[in-house]
Amino acid sequence: MGMVERLGGGTSGVTRKTSFPPVVDTSTRVLILGSLPGDASLAAGRYYAHPQNQFWRLLSPVVGVDLPTLDYSTRLEALQAAGIGLWDVVASATRPGSSDAAIRDATANDVATLIASLPVLRVVAFNGGTAWKAGRGLVRGVEMLALPSSSPLHTVGVAAKQPAWDAIGSYLRHS
């Protein structure tokens, strides 16, 4: 599970944050990679836990389920039933607060090994520019899709982001 570790002494120590384990199974067709969970997510032990993060709203029309109204475990089950998996590009990093711009001393998750273990994976989608920049070099042999960030810090409205997120649906259909 993701965690926060204080490095150094007192209040001036640097905070090292760790990502969550992947949420995938052998039916994962779309893998969505974020950068690193924010403080609200780390505190809650859940992906995209900040109430203003638009992730669950953006994926609702893609999977045909009103995800924000469900409890967390049911949300994850709905994503997996649709063929969507989750993980992060960054395994751990130092970062004060939740801004991707503040990520330092990052170590990457082993995205290539995870991808190799997913037999029907069709695309890796990156949630935001930081995930795209840090993760695109880790992906081989599968399509990639850059998505506008679901973060409330990316102030473009949901309506402007939705068409890009809707594109995920074409990878979920069996062909």
Side-chain angles (χ1 to χ4, degrees), residues 26-85:
T26 57
S27 66
T28 299
R29 297 170 74 78
V30 174
L31 176 62
I32 300 175
L33 295 176
S35 54
L36 179 68
D39 288 349
S41 292
L42 290 168
R46 303 180 325 208
Y47 280 102
Y48 304 103
H50 192 288
Q52 292 177 331
N53 192 296
Q54 300 159 340
F55 181 83
W56 302 107
R57 278 183 61 195
L58 289 163
L59 278 181
S60 287
V62 175
V63 300
V65 176
D66 189 5
L67 295 168
T69 65
L70 304 175
D71 65 63
Y72 182 66
S73 62
T74 308
R75 288 177 186 180
L76 293 182
E77 289 168 10
L79 289 187
Q80 286 189 281
I84 297 174

Side-chain angles (χ1 to χ4, degrees), residues 32 38-39 49 53 68 74 76 99 110 140 151 167 170-172:
I32 300 175
D39 288 349
N53 192 296
T74 308
L76 293 182
S99 172
D110 190 354
R140 296 282 183 272
S151 168
S170 66
Y171 295 96
L172 298 176

Side-chain angles (χ1 to χ4, degrees), residues 73-122:
S73 62
T74 308
R75 288 177 186 180
L76 293 182
E77 289 168 10
L79 289 187
Q80 286 189 281
I84 297 174
L86 303 176
W87 205 21
D88 289 301
V89 172
V90 177
S92 70
T94 56
R95 181 187 65 200
S98 296
S99 172
D100 282 354
I103 291 174
R104 300 289 182 271
D105 189 27
T107 58
N109 274 316
D110 190 354
V111 174
T113 297
L114 181 67
I115 288 170
S117 75
L118 301 173
V120 296
L121 185 69
R122 296 183 65 199

Side-chain angles (χ1 to χ4, degrees), residues 3 11 24 40 46 51-52 84 94 107 122 130 143 146 165 173:
M3 60 179 254
T11 58
V24 295
R46 303 180 325 208
Q52 292 177 331
I84 297 174
T94 56
T107 58
R122 296 183 65 199
T130 299
E143 278 189 64
W165 282 77
R173 293 190 259 302

